[in-house]
Amino acid sequence: MKRLLPLTALFVCGCLEIQAQSQPLTLDEAIKNAIEKNISLMAQRLDVPIAEAKIITARIKPNPHLSFASDYMDLLGRGVTVQNNAGPSEFSVRTDYTLEGGRKRERRVEVAELTTSVAKLTLSDAVRNLMLDVENAFVDVQAAKESVALAKQNQDALNAIVTVNENRARAGDLAQVEVTRSRLAALQFSNAVKQAELRLTTAGNRLQQLIGSTTTDNRMDVAGPIREDKQLILLDEIRTQALANRPDLLALRRNRERSEADIRLQKATGKIDYTVGVAYQHQYTYSNGRLFGAYLSIPLPVYDRNQGEVARAEAEHKQADLRIQAQERAIATEAENAYRQWETSRSLVENIERDMLQQARSVREITEYSYRRGEASLVEFLDAQRAFNETMQSYNEARADYARSLYLIEAVSAKVVQP
């Protein structure tokens, strides 16, 4: 009985895991899983502790030096006399310590802290991009599901026509060639179902990859309809929010601060350091002489004043300014493009809903009714069916594009950014 308990617990956990995997995935759950389990983001997240380790290194003070020396050693055993001209023997112990000038340690810590801040903002921008990728992949799965449903609906409609035609052919009211043509059309719509299912599988695999899922089940299911909330969006607000909140732009601005701190560090590195030391020396004379000494060492900055690194830091600071300007213009362009995409997709959805959707549905229904009564040809029915299918497919794609435009605006303006 005791041996069965672990097996029973394992079986229950496995059943719960399978049940959890079969539950439709919401967008919030997908984003949460991606932030927690996406491998690329997990790797980039390590940039923060790597940068924080540099702060520890920057705070470390120089190590003191300990020296031990023994001179005039009597290796031949002749004793220590004045006549040997190489004595008396002596030993000394000395310690030295470097006093950094120019506030070098403070400057190193400042650069390391700003580097850590840049790493955090860069990580935040990676999360922003990952969220947009997950949202687009989520919409792709939603759109693919609707395409599969539409293709199956068309397939069912053609299969029903094939059944009607077969009954009419057995009754002698329809030629056999007409049955064959309807079967061929049904096979074409059956192929469309397979292609739609393939797109659904591909979209599901991409979403699984983004959220860090390790399951081998390709039947990824998502919950909820395609986003279609109506809201007033202004281009100036998108641009203003983006310039104020975008993590990539904030990272560049913080990097400019880091380059300014680096200039101060390199100038401080060019300042001289002082090395101070104390020593104890013992001499083996008849009176055993002892002495203490103090030392001060100062380098002469005749040639090396760290000129090259100062010039490098100043050039990087100018480069940071130019990168900020370029990114600000790029963000303004992204805001403009995102707004135009939203505007166009919204107009397209409204036009299809207002002018095309009902007409295409009515034409198909009327033509199908007429075909069943023998008042319309199969070609006319298939044309109406394909027109309806193309209209519905265009409508689904337009709704998906509209949802993507909403997510893109949020990403461009950094309206929703996870820390």
Side-chain angles (χ1 to χ4, degrees), residues 43 145 266 303 312 320 329:
K145 284 180 61 178
Q266 299 308 324
Y303 303 109
R312 188 265 311 162
R329 295 181 182 180

Side-chain angles (χ1 to χ4, degrees), residues 10-22:
L10 183 61
F11 174 75
V12 172
C13 292
C15 293
L16 292 176
E17 183 178 358
I18 294 175
Q19 183 179 3
Q21 290 177 358
S22 63

Side-chain angles (χ1 to χ4, degrees), residues 96-219:
D96 296 279
Y97 185 75
T98 300
L99 301 175
E100 294 182 301
R103 302 168 64 186
K104 292 184 179 65
R105 179 168 170 268
E106 179 181 339
R107 301 304 184 194
R108 288 197 303 268
V109 172
E110 181 183 16
V111 171
E113 289 176 345
L114 289 172
T115 301
T116 302
S117 181
V118 171
K120 291 179 179 179
L121 288 171
T122 303
L123 176 61
S124 182
D125 188 63
V127 172
R128 179 185 68 90
N129 290 322
L130 178 61
M131 289 176 59
L132 179 59
D133 290 340
V134 172
E135 289 162 347
N136 287 333
F138 196 88
V139 172
D140 290 342
V141 175
Q142 290 176 317
K145 284 180 61 178
E146 295 200 354
S147 296
V148 171
L150 177 62
K152 288 183 177 180
Q153 179 184 351
N154 295 330
Q155 183 185 28
D156 292 340
L158 263 295
N159 288 336
I161 292 296
V162 170
T163 302
V164 171
N165 288 347
E166 288 175 346
N167 293 332
R168 292 174 61 187
R170 282 193 293 267
D173 295 337
L174 189 69
Q176 187 64 35
V177 65
E178 194 76 3
V179 177
T180 304
R181 293 175 64 187
S182 61
R183 287 175 179 171
L184 178 60
L187 289 175
Q188 292 175 343
F189 280 98
S190 176
N191 293 335
V193 171
K194 294 180 180 179
Q195 293 174 348
E197 290 177 342
L198 175 61
R199 288 192 293 269
L200 177 60
T201 300
T202 303
N205 289 341
R206 170 158 172 75
L207 182 58
Q208 283 186 335
Q209 178 186 358
L210 289 172
I211 66 177
S213 175
T214 57
T215 179
T216 57
D217 185 8
N218 293 326
R219 293 170 295 180

Side-chain angles (χ1 to χ4, degrees), residues 351-391:
N351 291 339
I352 296 177
E353 289 177 343
R354 183 180 62 248
D355 302 329
M356 299 177 61
L357 205 58
Q358 185 58 39
Q359 295 184 31
R361 184 178 289 110
S362 299
V363 170
R364 186 197 65 166
E365 292 175 353
I366 293 173
T367 307
E368 182 178 359
Y369 178 77
S370 300
Y371 178 74
R372 288 176 181 269
R373 291 172 56 90
E375 298 173 356
S377 66
L378 179 62
V379 174
E380 291 174 331
F381 170 71
L382 292 178
D383 287 342
Q385 183 69 33
R386 290 192 177 95
F388 172 77
N389 180 64
E390 291 174 359
T391 302

Side-chain angles (χ1 to χ4, degrees), residues 299-311:
L300 300 178
V302 178
Y303 303 109
D304 184 5
R305 295 185 297 277
N306 206 37
Q307 303 96 317
E309 288 300 306
V310 172

